[in-house]
Amino acid sequence: MLRDRMEIIIKPSAAEAQQEAAAILRRQIREKPDCVLGMSTGSTPIPIYALLAAMHRRGELDFSRVRTFNLDEYVGLGPDHLASYRQFMQEHLFGKVNIRPENIRVPDGLAKDIPKHCADYEAAIRNAGGIDLQLLGVSRDGHIGFNEPSSSLASRTRLKTITPQTAADNAGPFGSADKVPRHVITMGIGTIMEARRCLMVATGAGKAAVVAQMIEGAITADCPATVLQMHPSCVVVLDEEAAAKLKRAAYYRWVYAHKPDWQRV
Ligand code: GLP
């Protein structure tokens, strides 16, 4: 469904925000069993993937025809590397549901010819019919995927160099920031913007400042997530903590409470 602005959903707790996001994904898969999902990594989606895996265990969700494209991957890491995003997805979702391996796409961190691999990734998304629903998180500096501040708002899948801040933020599975690869392959901002729907999830006080900028700030490559204001159908699911710095939070709640039934997600 097309909307004329972001739809902001503020839930009392992170757990309720995660349940809302999982319910949106469940609805997408039930409405279109062979849908194409854009997947994201980071700490935010982990509980959402756990909820989807539990739905699958209970027999409520069938991934047998679902196709996925992940946003990004570290250059130099193969699919078996414990810190790769391909492994992350295996651990948190793919290994727990009945998705077919041939329906999973994650950029190849070991690709020899990176520009060609990126062009092929774009072509594969197009050949799959485009992404129906793109799950997104936002980093504290406003990057989506690995589109760091200053990324072109029209960018396509390509090699990026991460910032020192991102290396520090993502050090966890590597042990220290200096072990985090400097290069990544990421869908571009233009690629993300072509998804039919986007589902942005942000939880916790650490995201409050960037969430306020993303929703209420000027659109700028300095905070790539602000481009989502231009997306025709973007739902943003927040908990109270992540929503704490929004100027118009009361209005967003009012809009949500008075939404006509036909507009509800
Ligand atoms: C990484 C990923 C992003 C993700 C970000 C925030 O940089 N490439 O896709 O949104 O981390 O992660 P977290 O959810 O842990 O804050």
Side-chain angles (χ1 to χ4, degrees):
M1 183 191 307
L2 293 185
R3 295 193 167 77
D4 58 355
R5 65 167 185 81
M6 286 172 157
E7 170 155 27
I8 317 295
I9 303 177
I10 303 171
K11 291 288 175 182
S13 66
E16 285 158 280
Q18 291 146 6
Q19 278 156 13
E20 180 76 19
I24 292 170
L25 284 154
R26 174 171 57 188
R27 181 174 303 191
Q28 172 66 67
I29 295 168
R30 284 184 174 170
E31 281 176 5
K32 187 177 175 189
D34 63 345
C35 64
V36 179
L37 298 179
M39 312 311 284
S40 71
T41 52
S43 54
T44 306
I46 292 175
I48 300 170
Y49 293 152
L51 289 165
L52 294 178
M55 290 170 188
H56 171 71
R57 270 200 308 279
R58 293 197 298 267
E60 295 170 16
L61 211 47
D62 175 17
F63 283 79
S64 63
R65 296 170 63 203
V66 171
R67 295 162 292 160
T68 62
F69 287 88
N70 264 77
L71 283 168
D72 44 16
E73 181 60 284
Y74 292 104
V75 169
L77 304 195
D80 298 329
H81 193 290
L82 290 179
S84 73
Y85 282 164
R86 180 64 185 82
Q87 261 305 311
F88 173 100
M89 291 306 300
Q90 197 63 29
E91 180 187 342
H92 294 290
L93 184 66
F94 297 155
K96 297 181 172 166
V97 298
N98 63 333
I99 191 164
R100 291 168 195 248
E102 63 269 29
N103 287 346
I104 296 169
R105 295 291 294 258
V106 178
D108 179 4
L110 298 179
K112 292 274 176 293
D113 183 343
I114 291 179
K116 179 176 184 307
H117 178 64
C118 294
D120 290 349
Y121 202 72
E122 290 272 339
I125 294 173
R126 275 196 306 278
N127 292 340
I131 291 171
D132 291 299
L133 180 59
Q134 175 68 57
L135 179 62
L136 293 167
V138 62
S139 66
R140 290 182 300 148
D141 67 359
H143 75 237
I144 49 176
F146 266 128
N147 294 284
E148 297 284 27
S150 80
S151 288
S152 160
L153 298 183
S155 50
R156 312 301 308 189
T157 302
R158 68 210 184 290
L159 180 84
K160 281 295 287 181
T161 306
I162 61 170
T163 64
Q165 177 66 57
T166 297
D169 285 350
N170 293 3
F174 296 93
S176 64
D178 58 304
K179 297 204 179 75
V180 180
R182 280 7 187 181
H183 296 118
V184 294
I185 295 171
T186 181
M187 273 188 211
I189 297 174
T191 321
I192 293 169
M193 289 294 281
E194 282 173 10
R196 282 181 201 96
R197 288 199 298 158
C198 288
L199 170 58
M200 161 61 75
V201 184
T203 51
K207 298 287 173 70
V210 74
V211 162
Q213 194 183 356
M214 170 174 73
I215 295 171
E216 296 173 337
I219 296 170
T220 170
D222 202 42
C223 179
T226 56
V227 76
L228 294 171
Q229 294 174 32
M230 296 287 289
H231 195 282
S233 185
C234 178
V235 178
V236 183
V237 181
L238 307 170
D239 65 354
E240 290 284 357
E241 289 185 356
K245 294 194 171 157
L246 288 168
K247 282 192 303 235
R248 297 189 178 80
Y251 175 59
Y252 308 140
R253 290 181 214 277
W254 168 266
V255 171
Y256 189 63
H258 293 89
K259 198 169 263 307
D261 280 346
W262 61 268
Q263 261 196 354
R264 290 193 176 274
V265 283

